Amino acid sequence: MGPWSRVRVAKCQMLVTCFFILLLGLSVATMVTLTYFGAHFAVIRRASLEKNPYQAVHQWAFSAGLSLVGLLTLGAVLSAAGTVREAQGLMAGGFLCFSLAFCAQVQVMFWRLHSPTQVEDAMLDTYDLVYEQAMKGTSHVRRQELAAIQDTFLCCGKRSPFSRLGSTEADLCQGQEAAREDCLQGIRSILRIHQQVTSSLTSIGLALTVSALLLSSFLWFAVRSGCSLDRKGRYTLAPRACGHQPQEPSLFRRSQGGPARCLCSEADAIGPRRYSGSLRWLQDNDAAPGPLSRHLPAHRALQGRSPGGLSGCPARGLSG
């Protein structure tokens, strides 16, 4: 496969990769929106505690998700535009965005491996605080917040052998609510699904980002070295051959070519003896005294040295 074919294949692969990265950015944006405005996460975040353990984690996750969406989208747009237009600056901008997105995703993956239960622990700690304050009856607001959490997760209470609330906890779940699962298990199950989707998107994003980094760097070097597809050719100045005059613009040739052709034709017909009269006739009619009078001594000098007469006029008319 030649260099042109490799560049063409790399361009197609880059455009396809940018399309999938845009889809990935849309998926991540949807996931971030559901995380911030979703009922399961918002009801925990809105718990009016003095120190909500989940609020800081939730805000950090939302900011990181928005930053990642912006980097992926901007990198895909810049890389696609740079690939189509073969612009090195756009490709360099896309490469920088993909590099930052790659670093962010590596950081998320490292955080998931290093602290896999940090979000889960924050949500469960928040629920425990709301549950204990509601069971102790210190605030009516806590009762309402606890009821909202249990209705959202379709759970009721928590079954713990270390509970110290006694009959107050036993009276919480009665009737149909008694058939619901434990809230600790309900929160873990919802959060586990969310974390699996997040890990899958992060893995796919890492693969696409690495592919985009390799393709963008290859195309940048290809465009820099001149192996592009849309380049029309390079123009170089060739040395002019001896005796060839540079070609003049068409308008200038049209205005200057007439008297020169008349000069040659008159010289052919009249001969060298009557050449000066033909020059004066052209001078009166064509209103070009400057150039003709300036070149007249040179032409007379050439007549004495060369039998051919003027250079550029045929020698057959100067033989009389």
Side-chain angles (χ1 to χ4, degrees):
M1 183 181 294
W4 297 97
S5 301
R6 286 196 294 268
V7 172
R8 183 178 290 108
V9 171
K11 276 190 168 185
C12 296
Q13 290 178 351
M14 189 67 198
L15 293 177
V16 173
T17 304
C18 290
F19 174 74
F20 282 112
I21 288 178
L22 287 176
L23 292 181
L24 175 66
L26 181 61
S27 302
V28 175
T30 305
M31 198 69 181
V32 170
T33 304
L34 291 177
T35 302
Y36 192 79
F37 298 102
H40 295 89
F41 300 94
V43 72
I44 300 291
R45 178 175 54 87
R46 287 195 296 261
S48 57
L49 299 171
E50 295 180 359
K51 185 178 180 181
N52 192 336
Y54 177 69
Q55 256 182 353
V57 178
H58 185 85
Q59 192 66 31
W60 178 86
F62 179 73
S63 302
L66 283 184
S67 302
L68 183 60
V69 170
L71 289 174
L72 290 175
T73 304
L74 184 60
V77 172
L78 290 178
S79 297
T83 302
V84 173
R85 299 178 58 183
E86 295 185 355
Q88 298 182 18
L90 295 177
M91 289 184 182
F95 183 86
L96 178 61
C97 292
F98 287 141
S99 300
L100 295 177
F102 176 78
C103 295
Q105 292 176 93
V106 168
Q107 181 67 26
V108 171
M109 187 66 70
F110 176 78
W111 172 70
R112 288 282 299 118
L113 295 176
H114 186 264
S115 304
T117 61
Q118 183 175 357
V119 179
E120 178 180 332
D121 293 341
M123 292 185 71
L124 294 178
D125 290 343
T126 303
Y127 176 77
D128 286 339
L129 292 174
V130 174
Y131 184 81
E132 291 180 3
Q133 293 182 13
M135 291 296 100
K136 291 178 180 178
T138 57
S139 175
H140 182 68
V141 178
R142 296 290 180 269
R143 286 265 183 180
Q144 293 179 350
E145 291 176 353
L146 179 62
I149 293 174
Q150 293 181 158
D151 292 340
T152 302
F153 286 93
L154 297 178
C155 63
C156 185
K158 61 178 183 179
R159 299 174 180 86
S160 175
F162 304 102
S163 177
R164 295 173 295 178
L165 297 177
S167 60
T168 307
E169 184 179 6
D171 296 339
L172 179 63
C173 301
Q174 295 179 355
Q176 295 180 354
E177 296 180 352
R180 295 179 178 178
E181 65 176 345
D182 182 27
C183 284
L184 298 180
Q185 297 298 327
I187 293 175
R188 285 194 182 99
S189 60
I190 295 296
L191 196 58
R192 190 176 296 115
I193 297 174
H194 186 272
Q195 289 176 348
Q196 289 177 357
V197 175
T198 303
S199 299
S200 301
L201 290 177
T202 305
S203 302
I204 295 173
L206 283 173
L208 290 175
T209 306
V210 171
S211 177
L213 285 173
L214 295 176
L215 290 172
S216 60
S217 59
F218 172 77
L219 289 174
W220 189 86
F221 282 110
V223 172
R224 185 176 179 83
S225 62
C227 298
S228 57
L229 297 177
D230 299 332
R231 198 178 295 272
K232 302 301 181 183
R234 293 182 176 178
Y235 298 93
T236 56
L237 295 176
R240 190 175 64 197
C242 183
H244 290 275
Q245 298 295 329
Q247 191 176 5
E248 299 168 347
S250 58
L251 181 61
F252 187 76
R253 286 202 309 271
R254 193 174 297 114
S255 60
Q256 297 285 339
R261 285 193 294 272
C262 292
L263 177 63
C264 293
S265 60
E266 290 292 334
D268 291 341
I270 299 174
R273 298 175 196 170
R274 304 176 61 184
Y275 183 69
S276 59
S278 66
L279 289 177
R280 286 194 298 273
W281 181 79
L282 288 174
Q283 178 180 351
D284 296 334
N285 289 277
D286 293 332
L292 293 177
S293 61
R294 199 164 50 243
H295 290 288
L296 184 58
H299 290 312
R300 288 178 180 175
L302 287 174
Q303 281 184 354
R305 287 186 293 178
S306 61
L310 291 174
S311 60
C313 298
R316 64 179 183 277
L318 303 177
S319 59

